[in-house]
Amino acid sequence: MHSLLSRGNAIVAYTLSLLACLTFLCFLSTLFVDYRTIAAINTVKVVVKSVPDYSAAREECDLGFITFDLQANLTNLFNWNVKQLFLYLTAEYSTANNALSQVVLWDKIILRGEKAILDFKNMNTKYYFWDDGSGLRGHQNITLTLAWNIIPNAGLLPSIVARGQHSFAFPSNYTVTRV
Ligand SMILES: *[C@@H]1O[C@H](CO)[C@@H](O)[C@H](O)[C@H]1NC(C)=O
Ligand SMILES: *[C@@H]1O[C@H](CO)[C@@H](O)[C@H](O)[C@H]1NC(C)=O
């Protein structure tokens, strides 16, 4: 005869393994989904200033100011295993000092059920575009890319880079007026 305790124990164990199994199936069902999609990125205003850097030994550093357009339809990325998306816009470039610099300029969280169609015009960046020297002025190839982390209900946390990037150049003269 089973005691009440061992019966309770069996039910708990059964429920737990069932849940683990369902979670695994949930994870499997979305393992091979292609989370890449197209993002259209464009720069509107591009300016570079030379600004005193009080935090470092160097006296002046380049600070870039850009505004950008961004369009993407991320509706398709939301399946039942996607809890939220963490989007971020990165600028990538190389200089004599650094083989590869990556600067996050903007980010956004889209929760499940929120509007997943981005249509931004002339947006300001959220974060400063500092270089650690004078690498921005006259730079001919700064590449902007949109990427996202998928926060799932179960499983991996993939980081995806959107198709479509935008390259631009900084002017060869510093702007001295306020922007
Ligand atoms: C966004 O994508 C969804 C799914 O593919 C589609 O139904 C919808 O019409 C698209 N919206 C726009 C504005 O392109
Ligand atoms: C611009 O930089 C990107 C990566 O930062 C690189 O893939 C691309 O080839 C470069 N383009 C030119 C014209 O140098």
Side-chain angles (χ1 to χ4, degrees):
M1 269 284 139
H2 291 301
S3 72
L4 196 59
L5 189 66
S6 73
R7 187 181 292 206
N9 212 347
I11 291 175
V12 169
Y14 174 74
T15 312
L16 281 183
S17 54
L18 192 68
L19 276 180
C21 194
L22 281 176
T23 307
F24 185 67
L25 284 179
C26 167
F27 153 70
L28 269 193
S29 75
T30 53
L31 184 57
F32 301 108
V33 173
D34 182 7
Y35 288 108
R36 297 193 75 190
T37 186
I38 294 171
I41 310 169
N42 204 6
T43 40
V44 186
K45 188 176 73 183
V46 177
V47 156
V48 58
K49 296 175 115 186
S50 189
V51 175
D53 179 4
Y54 302 108
S55 68
R58 285 187 198 80
E59 290 175 350
E60 302 239 307
C61 282
D62 282 7
L63 179 58
F65 292 89
I66 67 170
T67 64
F68 63 95
D69 293 343
L70 174 64
Q71 277 104 32
N73 183 354
L74 306 179
T75 312
N76 270 351
L77 299 189
F78 282 91
N79 58 44
W80 69 305
N81 194 15
V82 176
K83 203 190 270 175
Q84 63 185 53
L85 296 177
F86 176 70
L87 311 175
Y88 52 100
L89 185 78
T90 327
E92 272 188 22
Y93 62 102
S94 52
T95 59
N97 290 346
N98 302 295
L100 177 65
S101 299
Q102 289 177 306
V103 186
V104 173
L105 298 180
W106 177 86
D107 59 23
K108 181 177 172 61
I109 290 174
I110 301 185
L111 300 176
R112 183 190 192 83
E114 281 183 348
K115 182 168 155 275
I117 296 170
L118 310 181
D119 188 7
F120 296 120
K121 296 253 191 286
N122 207 8
M123 286 280 286
N124 287 307
T125 59
K126 262 166 91 169
Y127 308 109
Y128 286 116
F129 192 169
W130 283 107
D131 184 58
D132 62 358
S134 55
L136 295 184
R137 182 175 67 99
H139 198 293
Q140 289 304 300
N141 184 20
I142 315 272
T143 305
L144 294 180
T145 2
L146 184 73
W148 44 83
N149 283 330
I150 293 178
I151 320 293
N153 290 313
L156 303 169
L157 196 152
S159 185
I160 315 285
V161 179
R163 295 198 189 91
Q165 24 178 248
H166 174 72
S167 294
F168 67 95
F170 272 111
S172 49
N173 291 315
Y174 289 125
T175 297
V176 285
T177 54
R178 275 182 64 91
V179 284

